[in-house]
């Protein structure tokens, strides 16, 4: 936002405030000054009138002009193509100064030149000009030109935050300056004569989607002149970064820069019956905008129509067919308020950003539409003999209600840590436009419509701090003792698992949680890149990708793990799960271990070590139907007695889109899976390496993990017996072990031999256990151990297990 200080001074007295002081104070108050630009000097420049224009005798592209400078006629050599006899021009006399340097008499191709006819670029008002500046008629020849363009001047470049659209107008900046320095803000002139017919007879407005256009104000201006703007107005526009065009258009741009509310002028006679419609674009519609580009429109774009065809892209740019021109005899003036989100989508869809869209995207108040419309009419009535129709067509279907915020007096000191005088609080907030009513221990503050960012008590306290001055608030050490924060139990458990896996020799990886949409249960509404439209449902794809990358880099073996979140859709709601993923491939880095690769036993050992460290009991392996794994080298990980909600599967695809298939097996719950990946999933790996993977849900483990506890060493000796059994192949070893451990005197059960072959009946296998028996209160007799074994064999007979002879 560019703010010329001479323009700012029209609304608030800034005399006695140095530029450096003003810059510092604005920056401290949140209006960061990014740059300071000096405009000028402009000295020795007067208004001149071109009396004669003749060709240069020695140059084809130069002209010799006779220019009346007020104190005599000067001969000036000029190369501008737009010279015209009788034109008023800015003339720099010898000895004068302009931004380009000092002006001197010079002989150009044999002809003496006694000055320079200037363009706006040579005056520093624009970067490049197509010709000299032809001034509007009515100026007095010989008058000093510098006061007309308010030179010298200083221009501040302000960085305006997105929550302060009111500061995108110079009058809003003036309000801030008035509040900061306790000075009076001058009122804008909004009155003007209404001498034309009633505007309701000329125009009508229809809003199809009030959520896209809360308010639309239309006025009609008759007999507007198509003429250049006054020098002062054109100069202010140029300093603020806009190019002057014509009086009516310049007036709308001037008010936009002044109040921060964009406006648009339509050629009324090019609209069908003065009708205005506001709606979204329909498929196939197109419009040629003011920049001469024909644009295809999408339903994201909000349009202004004349009831039949698009005439403007609402809040962004007008259409070429209805622009104000030299043939315009009547103007329909638009002052509207549009949805910030809708204008943002339209500007993005069209790839078009303008001064108007910038302001509408930040959000302008519906209440300011009427003010901006009246201000434009008032300005035009001052500058030209226009006729303005009576009244306005004001489509405002849902008028906004005044917003009230309560500010507790004691809360100001609690938050800021200092005592701000109540008088300063009231005067400062009142200067910003708030209306305060004292309610004893609090104020009731009515928020002005242009401050939509003030919605809570803390917002008002921040305004108090800004106006009081952050630099006046002393820096003090906190008086409240700091307390060490605690991690969320879920995060603490994840960190514990990470430490254990690292201690087991595995390397942690972090993989991207975004996956293609056909590999995810949860799909993003607004993806940022192709192939990243969804959130992962499993850690295994990221682990496999890391394995492939390491093996392609000629690593002999990898042992990787990741602790991360997966995302699932259950009953229409997104559910997040913490999981542990493990991947093994290639040779383990163990000296003297030969060239053997990781085996399922290594993966099972990692699981056992983790469960032992977490003190989780009741975990067993069982069957699982999962086509991501080798059909004969896979297992489900089950937890006995875990209270885990069983989610509905979303029919995931084999590898990259696998939901947490937690299924009940009697009193067991599936909490993970491990095994060797199916060969077709590893066919792209170097050397045809097989990959062993495991994925484990952490929430059930965290619930089942036990805290360490002290248990004294047993006082009485243990009795050990070996037991060789013939068990059916179909019987799970876990079930057999569970039956043995059901005997109260059995302390431990260790399987140390498994045999199947000669001497063993078909359909059976031999299992040899070492059983440890112990009584907590006395030494066991041999007969008691024999009785315990007899009870065990009796129970095993029910399972089809017998003693091997």
């Amino acid at each position: 936002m560019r703010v010329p200080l001479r323009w700012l001074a029209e609304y608030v007295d800034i005399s006695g405030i140095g530029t450096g002081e003003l810059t510092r104070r604005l920056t401290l108050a949140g209006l960061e000054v990014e740059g300071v630009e000096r405009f000028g000097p402009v000295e020795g420049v007067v208004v001149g009138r071109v009396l004669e224009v003749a060709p240069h005798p020695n140059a084809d592209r130069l002209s010799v002009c006779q220019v009346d400078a007020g104190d005599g006629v000067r001969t000036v050599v000029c190369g501008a193509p737009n010279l015209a006899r009788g034109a008023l021009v800015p003339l720099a006399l010898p000895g004068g100064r302009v931004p380009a340097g000092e002006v001197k008499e010079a002989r150009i191709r044999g002809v003496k030149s006694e000055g320079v006819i200037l363009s706006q670029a040579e005056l520093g008002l624009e970067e490049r000009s197509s010709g000299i500046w032809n001034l509007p008629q009515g100026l007095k020849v010989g008058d000093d030109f510098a006061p007309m363009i308010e030179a010298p001047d200083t221009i501040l470049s302000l960085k305006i935050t997105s929550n302060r659209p009111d500061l995108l107008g110079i009058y809003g900046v003036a309000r801030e300056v008035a509040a900061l320095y306790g000075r009076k803000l001058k009122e804008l002139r909004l009155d003007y004569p209404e001498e034309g017919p009633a505007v309701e007879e000329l125009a009508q407005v229809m809003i199809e989607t009030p959520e896209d256009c809360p308010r639309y104000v239309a006025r009609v201006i008759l007999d507007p002149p198509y003429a250049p703007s006054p020098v002062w107005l054109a100069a202010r526009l140029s300093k603020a970064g806009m190019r002057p065009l014509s009086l009516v258009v310049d007036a709308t741009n001037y008010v936009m820069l002044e109040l921060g509310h964009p406006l648009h002028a339509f050629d009324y006679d090019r609209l069908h019956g003065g009708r205005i419609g506001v709606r979204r674009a329909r498929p196939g519609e197109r419009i040629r905008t003011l920049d001469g580009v024909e644009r295809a429109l999408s339903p994201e774009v909000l349009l202004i129509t004349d009831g039949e065809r698009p005439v403007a892209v609402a809040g962004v740019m007008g259409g070429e067919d209805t622009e104000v021109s030299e043939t315009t005899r009547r103007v329909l003036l638009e002052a509207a308020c549009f949805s910030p989100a809708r204008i943002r989508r339209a500007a993005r869809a069209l790839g078009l950003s303008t001064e108007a869209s910038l302001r509408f995207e930040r959000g302008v108040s519906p209440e300011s539409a009427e003010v901006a419309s009246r201000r434009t009419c008032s300005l035009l009535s001052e500058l030209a003999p226009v006729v303005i129709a009576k009244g306005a067509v004001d489509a405002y279907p849902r008028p906004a209600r005044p917003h009230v915020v309560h500010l507790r007096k004691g809360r100001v000191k609690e938050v800021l840590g200092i005592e701000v005088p109540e008088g300063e609080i009231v005067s400062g907030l009142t200067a910003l436009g708030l209306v305060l009513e004292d309610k004893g221990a609090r104020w009731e503050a009515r928020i002005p419509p242009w401050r939509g960012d003030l919605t809570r008590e803390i917002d008002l306290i921040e305004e108090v701090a800004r106006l009081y001055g952050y630099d006046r608030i002393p820096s003090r050490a906190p008086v409240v003792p700091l307390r060490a924060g605690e991690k969320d139990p879920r995060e603490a458990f994840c960190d514990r698992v990470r430490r254990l896996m690292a201690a087991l020799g595995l390397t942690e990886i972090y993989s991207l949680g975004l996956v293609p949409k056909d590999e995810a249960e949860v799909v993003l509404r607004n993806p940022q890149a192709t192939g990243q439209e969804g959130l992962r449902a499993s850690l295994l794809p990221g682990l496999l990708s890391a394995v492939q990358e390491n093996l392609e880099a000629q690593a002999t073996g990898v042992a990787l793990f990741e602790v991360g979140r997966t995302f699932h859709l259950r009953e229409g709601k997104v559910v997040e799960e913490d999981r542990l993923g493990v991947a093994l491939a290639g040779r383990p880095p163990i000296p003297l271990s030969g060239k053997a690769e990781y085996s399922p036993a290594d993966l099972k050992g990692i699981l056992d070590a983790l469960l032992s460290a977490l003190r989780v009991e009741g975990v067993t392996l069982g069957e699982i139907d999962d086509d991501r794994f080798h059909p004969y080298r896979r297992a489900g990980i089950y937890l006995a007695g875990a209270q885990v909600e069983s989610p509905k599967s979303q029919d995931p695809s084999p590898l990259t889109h696998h939901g947490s298939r937690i299924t009940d097996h009697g009193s067991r719950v599936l909490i993970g899976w491990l095994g060797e990946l199916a060969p077709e999933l590893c066919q792209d790996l170097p050397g045809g390496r097989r990959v062993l993977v495991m994925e484990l849900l952490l929430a059930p483990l965290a619930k089942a993990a036990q805290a360490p506890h002290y248990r004294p060493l047993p006082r009485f000796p243990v009795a050990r017996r070996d037991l060789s059994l013939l068990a059916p192949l179909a019987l799970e070893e876990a079930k057999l072990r569970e039956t043995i451990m059901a005997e109260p005197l059995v302390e431990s059960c260790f399987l140390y031999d498994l045999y199947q072959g000669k001497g063993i009946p078909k359909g059976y296998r031999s299992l040899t256990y070492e059983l440890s028996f112990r009584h907590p209160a006395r030494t066991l007799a041999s007969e008691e151990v024999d009785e315990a074994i007899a009870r065990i064999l009796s129970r095993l007979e029910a399972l089809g297990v017998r003693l091997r002879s």
Side-chain angles (χ1 to χ4, degrees):
M1 176 69 186
R2 292 169 59 85
V3 179
L5 294 188
R6 296 281 289 268
W7 189 354
L8 182 71
E10 182 174 320
Y11 311 124
V12 60
D13 180 15
I14 56 174
S15 60
I17 305 175
T19 302
E21 159 62 17
L22 180 60
T23 298
R24 185 190 70 85
R25 189 68 185 275
L26 288 176
T27 301
L28 286 175
L31 286 74
E32 181 181 349
V33 180
E34 294 185 302
V36 178
E37 180 183 333
R38 308 294 180 184
F39 172 70
V42 177
E43 301 172 0
V45 179
V46 299
V47 176
R49 184 181 295 277
V50 180
L51 302 178
E52 294 181 12
V53 180
H56 194 290
N58 302 318
D60 294 338
R61 297 185 179 180
L62 297 178
S63 300
V64 179
C65 308
Q66 302 299 317
V67 183
D68 183 3
D71 60 351
V73 178
R74 309 293 178 98
T75 300
V76 179
V77 177
C78 183
N82 60 335
L83 276 171
R85 183 177 180 181
L88 294 177
V89 296
L91 174 65
L93 301 175
R97 294 183 62 84
V98 293
E102 185 178 353
V103 179
K104 298 180 181 180
E105 288 187 358
R107 187 168 293 276
I108 303 175
R109 294 290 185 94
V111 177
K112 183 179 180 182
S113 181
E114 301 175 291
V116 177
I117 300 177
L118 301 171
S119 66
Q120 292 193 46
E122 290 167 323
L123 287 165
L125 291 172
E126 58 185 15
E127 291 186 4
R128 180 178 299 178
S129 297
S130 58
I132 55 97
W133 189 0
N134 284 307
L135 305 176
Q137 296 296 319
L139 300 179
K140 183 179 179 181
V141 174
D143 278 359
D144 188 5
F145 194 67
M148 300 181 190
I149 58 175
E150 297 178 336
D153 201 354
T154 301
I155 304 169
L156 303 183
S157 294
L158 303 182
K159 181 179 180 180
I160 306 301
T161 55
S162 59
N163 66 325
R164 293 297 305 274
D166 59 301
L167 297 179
L168 290 174
I170 294 176
Y171 193 72
V173 177
R175 184 184 294 110
E176 287 285 313
V177 173
L180 289 171
Y181 287 95
R183 302 193 177 186
K184 184 178 180 181
L185 179 68
K186 300 177 184 178
E187 293 186 2
L188 293 173
R189 179 183 172 187
L190 302 178
D191 59 306
Y192 56 90
E194 294 179 327
E195 301 173 348
V199 70
E200 291 83 358
E201 301 174 4
L202 302 173
Q204 53 183 321
V205 176
M206 178 64 67
I207 302 175
E208 290 190 11
T209 53
E211 65 273 15
D212 292 334
C213 179
R215 190 177 192 181
Y216 194 106
V217 178
R219 283 184 164 85
V220 177
I221 302 169
L222 312 176
D223 301 325
Y226 190 79
S229 297
V231 172
W232 65 268
L233 192 149
R236 286 186 176 182
L237 290 178
S238 297
K239 291 179 191 178
M242 300 199 73
R243 184 168 59 92
L245 296 172
S246 64
L247 180 60
V248 173
V249 176
D250 290 351
T252 61
N253 288 335
Y254 183 90
V255 174
M256 178 185 69
L257 294 173
E258 182 180 55
L259 298 180
H261 194 115
L263 303 102
H264 186 70
F266 294 99
D267 187 325
Y268 174 88
D269 294 306
R270 295 186 182 183
L271 301 172
H272 288 187
R275 288 180 296 175
I276 290 291
V278 185
R279 62 169 172 83
R280 297 185 191 178
R282 295 166 183 155
E285 285 190 303
R286 306 178 71 88
I287 186 175
R288 182 178 292 275
T289 47
L290 288 172
D291 55 2
V293 177
E294 185 170 334
R295 303 181 185 274
L297 304 173
S298 72
E300 293 288 343
V301 178
L302 187 66
L303 294 179
I304 306 299
T305 72
D306 62 357
E308 298 180 4
R309 61 192 173 117
V311 295
V313 178
V316 181
M317 185 176 285
E320 194 176 66
D321 289 346
T322 55
E323 71 173 315
V324 174
S325 65
E326 55 194 13
T327 62
T328 299
R329 295 295 174 264
R330 291 184 289 183
V331 167
L332 187 142
L333 179 65
E334 167 194 286
C337 177
F338 302 111
S339 163
R342 179 58 51 199
I343 301 305
R344 190 178 301 114
R345 293 191 186 103
R348 181 181 297 179
L350 297 174
L352 188 61
S353 180
T354 62
E355 289 286 342
S357 67
L358 169 68
R359 288 162 171 81
F360 280 123
E361 287 178 24
R362 303 282 182 95
V364 298
S365 166
E367 304 300 319
S368 66
E370 168 68 6
V371 177
S373 178
R374 293 186 62 85
R375 173 60 178 160
T376 305
C377 293
S378 176
L379 182 64
L380 282 173
S381 67
E382 289 181 26
L383 302 178
V386 297
V387 176
I388 301 174
K390 297 176 182 177
V393 177
D394 189 355
Y396 196 6
R398 302 170 187 170
R401 296 181 178 179
H403 183 56
V404 175
V405 176
H406 297 285
L407 175 60
R408 291 168 290 174
K409 298 178 180 180
R411 185 62 178 159
V412 177
K413 182 179 179 180
E414 290 179 6
V415 174
L416 300 184
I418 58 172
E419 188 77 46
V420 180
E422 289 189 12
E424 288 193 37
I425 296 176
V426 173
S427 61
L429 294 180
T430 302
L432 292 178
L434 283 71
V435 179
L436 269 65
E437 185 176 350
D438 197 327
K439 296 290 185 178
R442 60 182 173 84
W443 287 289
E444 189 176 273
R446 180 171 296 183
I447 309 300
W450 58 82
R451 289 303 303 271
D453 59 309
L454 302 181
T455 60
R456 304 167 300 166
E457 180 184 52
I458 193 65
D459 297 329
L460 300 187
I461 295 176
E462 182 182 3
E463 293 301 294
V464 173
R466 284 195 321 109
L467 298 178
Y468 184 75
Y470 291 120
D471 54 327
R472 296 173 62 188
I473 300 177
S475 300
R476 297 173 183 167
V479 295
V480 178
L482 297 179
R483 297 179 181 176
E486 293 184 2
K487 274 196 172 183
D488 181 82
R490 180 195 62 78
E491 294 181 357
F493 185 78
C494 289
D495 288 344
R496 183 181 177 190
V497 172
R498 290 187 179 96
R499 290 192 297 269
L500 291 173
M501 299 306 294
L504 290 172
L506 280 75
T507 301
E508 185 175 10
I509 71 163
Y510 291 91
S511 60
L512 187 64
L514 299 173
V515 295
K517 60 182 178 182
D518 57 347
E519 301 175 0
E521 297 177 26
V522 179
V523 180
L524 303 177
R525 292 180 179 175
N526 187 25
Q528 300 300 307
T530 303
Q532 297 181 1
E533 301 90 354
L535 298 175
R536 65 185 176 188
S538 173
L539 300 180
L540 299 189
L543 285 164
L544 182 59
S545 177
V547 167
Q548 180 174 355
E549 186 173 350
N550 279 272
L551 293 180
E552 288 177 349
Q554 299 183 343
T556 58
V558 290
L560 308 175
F561 81 92
E562 180 176 11
V563 174
R565 283 199 165 188
T566 58
F567 304 84
H568 311 276
L569 195 61
R570 297 174 190 159
E571 298 179 355
K573 295 182 179 180
V574 177
V575 177
E576 301 181 23
E577 289 181 346
D578 292 311
R579 293 191 182 185
L580 165 67
V582 175
L584 306 177
R587 301 203 310 263
I590 302 176
L592 304 178
S593 62
K595 292 188 178 181
E597 297 189 351
Y598 284 109
S599 69
D602 295 311
L603 192 62
K604 175 67 163 51
I606 292 173
L607 174 62
D608 289 342
L610 175 64
L611 297 176
S612 176
L614 295 175
R615 296 178 177 83
V616 175
E617 298 178 354
V619 174
T620 57
L621 299 182
E623 294 183 1
I624 187 173
D625 181 15
D626 193 332
D627 52 7
R628 299 178 302 169
F629 294 99
H630 192 288
Y632 306 116
R633 300 168 190 164
R634 65 190 182 193
I637 305 172
Y638 294 90
L639 179 61
Q643 301 300 316
V644 183
E645 182 181 358
S646 179
K648 296 182 179 179
S649 173
Q650 300 296 321
D651 190 23
S653 60
L655 175 64
T656 55
H657 184 44
H658 183 74
S660 63
R661 299 175 182 174
I662 302 178
T663 55
D664 288 311
H665 284 235
S667 62
R668 301 182 302 167
V669 176
L670 179 67
I671 63 168
W673 32 87
L674 58 78
E676 180 183 330
L677 284 179
E680 58 268 20
L681 299 178
C682 304
Q683 58 187 1
D684 294 332
L685 298 180
R689 299 285 179 83
R690 66 177 186 170
V691 181
L692 302 164
V693 298
M694 176 175 68
E695 189 166 19
L696 197 59
L697 278 71
L698 295 183
L701 286 186
K703 186 176 180 180
Q706 300 179 19
H709 61 276
Y710 167 75
R711 185 171 62 187
L713 291 174
R715 296 176 55 196
F716 301 97
V718 66
R720 292 188 174 90
R721 300 285 179 89
D722 288 351
L723 198 63
S724 293
L725 304 171
L726 287 177
L729 290 174
L731 178 64
E732 293 184 13
E733 191 275 336
K735 183 64 175 175
L736 194 151
R737 180 188 296 269
E738 181 181 341
T739 303
I740 294 174
M741 294 300 296
E743 170 57 43
L745 292 179
V746 175
E747 183 179 69
S748 66
C749 175
F750 176 62
L751 175 66
Y752 67 86
D753 185 67
L754 167 66
Y755 175 70
Q756 183 180 351
K758 186 177 180 180
I760 303 300
K762 186 177 180 180
Y764 283 82
R765 56 182 173 176
S766 173
L767 301 171
T768 303
Y769 294 90
E770 181 188 75
L771 305 184
S772 298
F773 298 85
R774 195 193 305 266
H775 195 284
R778 56 184 172 81
T779 300
L780 287 172
S782 178
E783 294 78 11
E784 291 179 297
V785 175
D786 292 340
E787 292 174 0
I789 292 176
R791 290 193 296 269
I792 292 173
L793 293 175
S794 177
R795 296 190 190 99
L796 291 176
E797 285 181 6
L799 302 176
V801 179
R802 66 179 185 268
L803 190 65
R804 180 181 174 187
S805 58

